Amino acid sequence: MEVSKMHNPSGAPPRLLSRVYWHFFHSNSGWPSACYSYSRYIPEHDLQNGTHYTMTNGGGVSSSTHLLDLLDEPIPGVGTYDDFHTIDWVREKCKDRERHRRINSKKKESAWELSKSLYDAWSGWLVVTLTGLASGALAGLIDIAADWMADLKEGICMTAFWFNHEQCCWRSDEATFEERDKCPQWNTWADLIIGQAEGPGSYIMNYIMYIFWALSFAFLAVSLVKVFAPYACGSGIPEIKTILSGFIIRGYLGKWTLMIKTVTLVLAVASGLSLGKEGPLVHVACCCGNIFSYLFPKYSTNEAKKREVLSAASAAGVSVAFGAPIGGVLFSLEEVSYYFPLKTLWRSFFAALVAAFILRSINPFGNSRLVLFYVEYHTPWYLFELIPFILLGVFGGLWGAFFIRANIAWCRRRKTTKFGKYPVLEVIVVAAITAVVAFPNPYTRFNTSQLIKELFTDCGPLESSSLCDYRNDMNASNIVDDIPDRPAGNGVYSAIWQLGLALVFKIVMTVFTFGIKVPSGLFIPSLAYYHHDWFIFKQWCEVGADCITPGLYAMVGAAACLGGVTRMTVSLVVIVFELTGGLEYIVPLMAAVMTSKWVGDAFGREGIYESHIRLNGYPFLDAKEEFTHTTLARDVMRPRRSDPPLAVLTQDNMTVDDIESLINETSYNGFPVIMSKESQRLVGFALRRDLTLAIENARKKQEGIVGSSRVCFAQHTPSLPAESPRPLKLRSILDMSPFTVTDHTPMEIVVDIFRKLGLRQCLVTHNGRLLGIITKKDILRHMAQMANHDPESIMFN
């Protein structure tokens, strides 16, 4: 069967054959080659001149195009990617444009096609709505379950076991203001086991049960992760950053990872480990976005479009983690997203809004807030306080630099020694040490959210915390005016010592906890001081007014520490601003966060997430990192002078056996296609996976394709002897416009091209002749080599 070309005297192409052509063009729109002009299949001038194609039977092989090549269905698997490979952003965007053109061209044909086009147009908003709904619901479930299980370590509510400690005593008439956490309905484990509520025996029994429950929760969490979903461990943000940059990690955002991450996050937080749930909630939200994207063909078949959904999902995750919808959008833009068009900004905002609304409707903490540690400050700050705020920023930067280096050193030791082969034992040991040391100190016994709430909250008449233990002189006549200047009681001084010990404990334990095989986010160290009677304060403060707000210092210190560890700036300030609701504290926050970043950058420009990306060897080009070297493309391209020649394909001189041998003998992800070995003129680029799938599909579905069949990447098949086997046309899988640079292009420009266009590879030419190739891995190796790092640490395949 072949196509021959005849002239139509009427000058107009037949209507029926025009439909055949359009069916072919649209049926291949999912292929990479669909972005290019259809004139390579049917010459455009032939259509304009009235030339039409008729089917004739012929025994020989001529230069005419086979109808099977025109009407074949898309090859299954072509255009997809293997695990641990990088997507081609240009090809994915090209596929989406062709899909959009096809839908627009058909929407006027019928009401059904119009409804399909409307569904396609609204599918982006639908998927982010579902993602926001699921993220908010799961965050509320995690918050409620974690609070209940954390209190389960100390006791149980006898009237309703599903109530936590606070809920159990809400309806109690026996609870007093001074001892609001004690009520007959709540029994400690010592009450239930030995029948004693006070005394050494009661303390020891509660101590033992606290350790027992902590170890049980930790063991169950690490066991579930190890058996069912190994990707559910850690915070997930380094991997999400890598995935959003175009890397494929199959199963990392799957349904099993979502289920196990949700359950084990509750267990990990309840176990009392020095970790938070904020980072893992971003991973949970991205899992929801990935799962829902498979319900819509617009996103399920296009990896670049899917990453737009994941960007919106990460914003929803931060929204429910910190109760900061706007901060979540800025976090997605500043910290994790690689490609962030304007419509993704709107959809991220909407996803964050929906997630926050659902979490607010659930009201997991009973305070009508999105987080437990929401506070409001109304006391103004004074100009002299910028000095301690900047000092807090210096402390945050130093803490961040120390934490990153210590944690990465420990994680590297875990990866390179036998200790890393026993993740369950490591979690048990860390949980045991944490429980044994944490129980005697009330500030380390709290979970993360409770501790931050305790430190953020300002002292008032209804506060029973030790930090608010100030003495009252009931005989003084001016007691009302002197309330701000009350002397500190014994509770304040003991609380300060306990907080200092808690700070040291959290600093040490967080280094060993972050990175173990359970879901773990970053804990935010906080520290507050109250010395209003110092001489420097007396010169600025008004008489009888609160001069120092301890909760404000805790908030600024928390932001400085988190900024020193993650090197976030704008998004972090907005997140903390949304937590406090006070616009007047923007300047202190900005001063502290900026100082912490400058101090941290003095010891290394990488944050904790970028450091873990480099530790794991992921191929991630950080947009924040500047390339300042003066190397050229020829210095980085392969092959080098000592390497064998570049592996290439010719457009019509190779057989199926030749290509299969080249694929089996090499491990390259793709091959340049040239006109001939002599000319070295570039024709296009063919991916290894597409070649393999196309040849396998041809052997199954096309008769006469054998090992000696000529493979043709050209538009027309060359003239072959009559006895030759049928040729195999693979022009449809060829990328006809691969990106090329000359050998004298500065690497600074090449790196920018890779970052902004998301390229997998770039071909290097000289006077139009192909010289070599630069891949993303080559650039990462070159950058590592320039920074005196191990260039072989980059994991690409």
Side-chain angles (χ1 to χ4, degrees), residues 486-715:
R486 289 178 296 165
N490 294 330
V492 174
Y493 292 106
S494 63
I496 291 297
W497 279 107
Q498 290 171 341
L499 270 180
L501 294 175
L503 178 65
V504 175
F505 168 75
K506 289 293 185 180
I507 286 177
V508 174
M509 291 309 301
T510 307
V511 169
F512 296 98
T513 304
F514 189 76
I516 61 177
K517 299 303 180 182
V518 295
S520 58
L522 283 175
F523 172 76
I524 308 176
S526 305
L527 192 59
Y529 293 98
Y530 189 83
H531 288 288
H532 64 280
D533 52 348
W534 284 6
F535 73 95
I536 188 173
F537 297 156
K538 289 183 178 180
Q539 297 178 5
W540 291 84
C541 300
E542 298 177 4
V543 178
D546 281 330
C547 183
I548 301 297
T549 304
L552 174 61
Y553 280 76
M555 178 192 70
V556 174
C561 290
L562 192 57
V565 172
T566 63
R567 310 296 162 83
M568 295 162 53
T569 52
V570 179
S571 58
L572 179 59
V573 170
V574 174
I575 287 172
V576 180
F577 156 66
E578 290 187 83
L579 278 176
T580 59
L583 188 62
E584 58 186 329
Y585 303 117
I586 288 291
V587 173
L589 286 172
M590 292 175 66
V593 170
M594 208 65 234
T595 304
S596 69
K597 176 174 173 55
W598 285 336
V599 173
D601 286 348
F603 295 91
R605 301 186 66 88
E606 289 184 339
I608 185 64
Y609 303 133
E610 290 79 13
S611 298
H612 273 270
I613 287 173
R614 186 160 59 84
L615 175 68
N616 293 326
Y618 296 137
F620 179 75
L621 277 174
D622 191 1
K624 302 175 185 177
E625 186 178 356
E626 296 181 1
F627 187 87
T628 58
H629 307 287
T630 59
T631 51
L632 301 177
R634 64 185 179 188
D635 302 324
V636 181
M637 73 174 189
R638 289 182 297 162
R640 308 289 170 80
R641 293 181 179 178
S642 58
D643 294 342
L646 183 67
V648 296
L649 305 175
T650 56
Q651 69 172 358
D652 53 17
N653 292 329
M654 300 184 72
T655 64
V656 172
D657 286 340
D658 294 335
I659 293 180
E660 288 182 331
S661 298
L662 185 62
I663 292 175
N664 294 330
E665 293 171 0
T666 62
S667 59
Y668 306 132
N669 289 331
F671 305 92
V673 179
I674 58 177
M675 293 190 65
S676 65
K677 297 284 187 178
E678 293 77 20
S679 69
Q680 292 289 316
R681 289 190 60 186
L682 184 63
V683 175
F685 192 86
L687 293 177
R688 176 194 190 92
R689 176 181 174 85
D690 292 352
L691 285 169
T692 303
L693 293 172
I695 292 175
E696 291 178 356
N697 183 77
R699 288 184 184 275
K700 293 178 182 178
K701 296 185 177 181
Q702 297 185 28
E703 295 181 1
I705 300 299
V706 294
S708 57
S709 296
R710 187 77 64 89
V711 177
C712 180
F713 294 98
Q715 182 174 346

Side-chain angles (χ1 to χ4, degrees), residues 444-460:
T444 54
R445 197 187 311 169
F446 289 152
N447 64 29
T448 305
S449 298
Q450 290 175 329
L451 178 58
I452 296 176
K453 176 180 181 294
E454 182 83 2
L455 297 176
F456 279 14
T457 304
D458 222 357
C459 290

